[in-house]
Structure formats: C-alpha cells, structure tokens
Amino acid sequence: MSIRQHIETYLKGWEFGDGALSLSVTAEGFCYDDPNTGRIVRADFAQFVEDFKRAAVEMGGANNARPFLQYTDVVIKDDELPATVWCWWQAVGTELQGCALVKVGEEGVLHEKIAYFSRLPE
C-alpha cells in the first residue's frame, strides 16, 4: 500500500467514524495523542474512536452521522518520510473542531496528535 493510500484510508475512517478502518492502516507502534485523554495506544484506538463519537453525540451530533467528521483543509507533505499530514476537522452537527498532525511511514500511520479549537465538556 502506498503512503497516499495509507493517508486516504486513515482519514476516511475518521470521516465516517470507522475506527477499525483507520486502525487497519496504522503501524504496530501507532499512538494517538489527545490533550483531554492523553496518549492512546494502538490496542485502545478503536474504543477511543467510539468514545469520541459518543462525546460528539452529547454535543449535538447525530448518532451514526455519515460523515462523522468534515475536513475543511488537508495538507500533505510526502516528499520525505515520514510524510506529514495537517488537517482541520469538525464533528458534523457540533462546534467540536480542531486540527490534527499525522505522521505516516511506509509501514502505515505512525502517530496522530490533535488540538481542540472548542472546549470539551467535562
């Protein structure tokens, strides 16, 4: 699978709220850094996506929204590895939005770090 295919599949999983799809293109040592919950390891990622979707519903999003996330900007720098992806996202139907920085290698998605633009409920 190419770097671009890893990126497209990973983002598509988030877009449709399909944690298993995103997980399918992560590298063995993948981790996800969230300022609210801390570091999420690969083994806990699918459950994290479900919890994230549940939080979006509590903030006014629809159950099983498709798309779940809307991307307004995606920038990919893949002229050297690991490739870097920056994107702005928003959970559809909510004010929940932020940016993500994703690192991708030949073995898959290595790391994602996000920042929230709006305050999350406690």
Side-chain angles (χ1 to χ4, degrees), residues 44-99:
D44 298 331
F45 180 71
Q47 182 59 54
F48 171 78
V49 172
E50 291 303 312
D51 294 344
F52 194 85
K53 288 172 22 184
R54 196 169 15 266
V57 168
E58 290 173 7
M59 299 172 90
N63 265 328
N64 301 314
R66 284 185 74 87
F68 167 63
L69 289 186
Q70 178 180 13
Y71 295 104
T72 55
D73 296 285
V74 176
V75 177
I76 300 170
K77 182 179 180 293
D78 60 358
D79 56 339
E80 60 183 57
L81 294 181
T84 302
V85 181
W86 297 273
C87 56
W88 191 266
W89 54 267
Q90 183 169 6
V92 174
T94 75
E95 294 298 315
L96 177 60
Q97 58 186 309
C99 64

Side-chain angles (χ1 to χ4, degrees), residues 3-120:
I3 297 290
R4 285 285 176 145
Q5 289 171 317
H6 286 306
I7 293 167
E8 290 169 8
T9 302
Y10 185 77
L11 294 180
K12 185 66 68 180
W14 269 113
E15 181 181 355
F16 291 112
D18 186 342
L21 180 60
S22 290
L23 184 65
S24 74
V25 292
T26 59
E28 195 61 39
F30 169 82
C31 63
Y32 181 97
D33 284 318
D34 180 295
N36 274 1
T37 57
R39 180 161 283 184
I40 309 300
V41 296
R42 187 175 191 269
D44 298 331
F45 180 71
Q47 182 59 54
F48 171 78
V49 172
E50 291 303 312
D51 294 344
F52 194 85
K53 288 172 22 184
R54 196 169 15 266
V57 168
E58 290 173 7
M59 299 172 90
N63 265 328
N64 301 314
R66 284 185 74 87
F68 167 63
L69 289 186
Q70 178 180 13
Y71 295 104
T72 55
D73 296 285
V74 176
V75 177
I76 300 170
K77 182 179 180 293
D78 60 358
D79 56 339
E80 60 183 57
L81 294 181
T84 302
V85 181
W86 297 273
C87 56
W88 191 266
W89 54 267
Q90 183 169 6
V92 174
T94 75
E95 294 298 315
L96 177 60
Q97 58 186 309
C99 64
L101 174 66
V102 183
K103 295 290 189 171
V104 184
E106 291 177 355
E107 64 271 45
V109 178
L110 306 169
H111 180 243
E112 180 175 0
K113 179 184 278 190
I114 67 165
Y116 294 106
F117 181 71
S118 60
R119 185 177 174 89
L120 295 178

